Amino acid sequence: MAPTSTQPDLTATSRGYQFGERGSHNISLGGPHPYRRVTFENPLDARKHMLEHGAAVFRVFARKGYDEGEAGHCSLRDPIDPDTFWINPLGVHFGLIRAEDLVHVTEEGEILPDGNQAPINAAGFAIHSSLHKARPDVNAACHCHSIYGKAYSAFGKELEIINQDSCMFFKNQAVYTDFGGVALEKDEGSAIAKAAGSANAIILQNHGLLTLGETIDGAAYLFTLMEKSCQVQLSVDAAVSKGNPRILIPEEEASYSAFVTNDPDTLYAAFQADYNYQLKLSNGDFLFAK
């Protein structure tokens, strides 16, 4: 039946992305989305919210098994001084990190006095300082040595668009192929930022995964999705090797699915289920003391 004035045409040939609102607002039926992104008039409140959610990200990553010794780091651009960022201290297990443990650092590597006075991962600093400088649209970045991300990174190629979830990476992923060992120098970080271009999901060949976002929540959700997508991709590749053909999602459908899910509000909302579960599991001990 042809669409009427009350039935918007969302067919593949005439979507045009002109109907309704983009993102998480479309997902909620029967009321507003319960986890719409919070905004603050007071930048100190914005910082507190950001750091507490950043601490939660580390707890979630620990629960999902993304920790690997001293490797792995997430950064958060400061809402008061955007030329600085916060990052996890060196040698503290993701599962123990609290909001007050995060370290405030300048783009030059100076540890600022209003955060934890602890050393940070030099490779993490090299990568994140370059990313924050190169991408003013990015307020957070996540990089871990997760199992399936490390495994898939050995191929040095993008994920295929083989299911609805992987549409999140449609024209939103890049591969950094020039692995130069542990990224202790800022030149390596600059090269990664250049390879990323405008993408928010990056496969670091022979290294692991890196995701970027407007919020730490969004970057973290994208990372968890990318890690699962690497797991699925490896499973599909194994099946293909046994003679089972894969079917890729057509470009127009992939583009539409990406459009309605891959925006900052939707990515933020998608992480809140994990945030609230972690809050319950840890009885909120990663939050600032009241």
Side-chain angles (χ1 to χ4, degrees):
M1 182 175 67
T4 68
S5 59
T6 58
Q7 294 176 303
D9 184 359
L10 297 182
T11 61
T13 57
S14 57
R15 289 189 179 108
Y17 312 145
Q18 295 176 4
F19 161 71
E21 292 184 271
R22 183 183 184 188
S24 59
H25 313 301
N26 279 334
I27 293 174
S28 177
L29 178 65
H33 197 291
Y35 300 126
R36 297 181 77 159
R37 187 153 47 128
V38 183
T39 57
F40 299 92
E41 292 184 5
N42 185 338
L44 288 174
D45 291 336
R47 176 190 278 175
K48 178 176 181 290
H49 174 87
M50 178 194 74
L51 294 177
E52 290 183 338
H53 279 242
V57 166
F58 289 108
R59 298 297 185 95
V60 170
F61 281 10
R63 172 161 51 84
K64 293 179 182 291
Y66 298 167
D67 55 294
E68 186 61 68
E70 294 183 322
H73 20 80
C74 299
S75 63
L76 310 88
R77 189 190 300 274
D78 187 68
I80 299 174
D81 183 356
D83 290 331
T84 66
F85 61 93
W86 299 74
I87 196 167
N88 49 307
L90 182 66
V92 179
H93 192 280
F94 287 178
L96 298 175
I97 289 179
R98 303 164 297 170
E100 63 195 62
D101 294 324
L102 297 178
V103 180
H104 195 186
V105 60
T106 68
E107 289 180 348
E108 290 71 41
E110 176 190 358
I111 306 298
L112 296 173
D114 56 348
N116 183 10
Q117 300 298 290
I120 61 176
N121 187 304
F125 170 75
I127 293 172
H128 291 269
S129 60
S130 297
L131 285 169
H132 283 284
K133 190 171 184 178
R135 292 283 299 275
D137 60 308
V138 165
N139 293 322
C142 298
H143 167 62
C144 298
H145 294 186
S146 51
I147 293 173
Y148 295 104
K150 284 192 291 188
Y152 189 70
S153 75
F155 296 104
K157 62 180 182 178
E158 294 184 357
L159 290 163
E160 294 179 322
I161 311 304
I162 50 179
N163 55 54
Q164 178 175 297
D165 292 331
S166 65
C167 290
M168 193 78 75
F169 306 109
F170 179 74
K171 294 187 177 179
N172 187 35
Q173 58 179 320
V175 179
Y176 175 66
T177 59
D178 298 322
F179 177 69
V182 179
L184 296 177
E185 301 297 331
K186 290 194 72 174
D187 286 348
E188 182 82 355
S190 298
I192 292 172
K194 183 178 180 180
S198 61
N200 285 339
I202 303 98
I203 294 171
L204 307 177
Q205 182 178 300
N206 305 115
H207 189 170
L209 306 180
L210 171 66
T211 58
L212 314 174
E214 193 171 301
T215 64
I216 185 62
D217 306 72
Y221 176 72
L222 197 61
F223 190 97
T224 63
L225 182 63
M226 197 176 194
E227 169 70 1
K228 285 183 178 179
S229 296
C230 287
Q231 182 180 4
V232 171
Q233 181 77 65
L234 290 166
S235 297
V236 170
D237 288 348
V240 168
S241 70
K242 297 179 180 179
N244 300 300
R246 63 166 61 82
I247 299 173
L248 302 180
I249 294 177
E251 183 168 313
E252 188 164 9
E253 283 70 24
S255 177
Y256 176 70
S257 296
F259 179 83
V260 297
T261 58
N262 191 9
D263 66 281
D265 286 335
T266 299
L267 291 169
Y268 175 91
F271 184 72
Q272 299 317 301
D274 246 334
Y275 174 86
N276 286 308
Y277 182 48
Q278 193 62 46
L279 192 67
K280 181 74 171 179
L281 286 178
S282 59
N283 198 29
D285 73 335
F286 58 80
L287 304 174
F288 283 112
K290 297 188 184 292

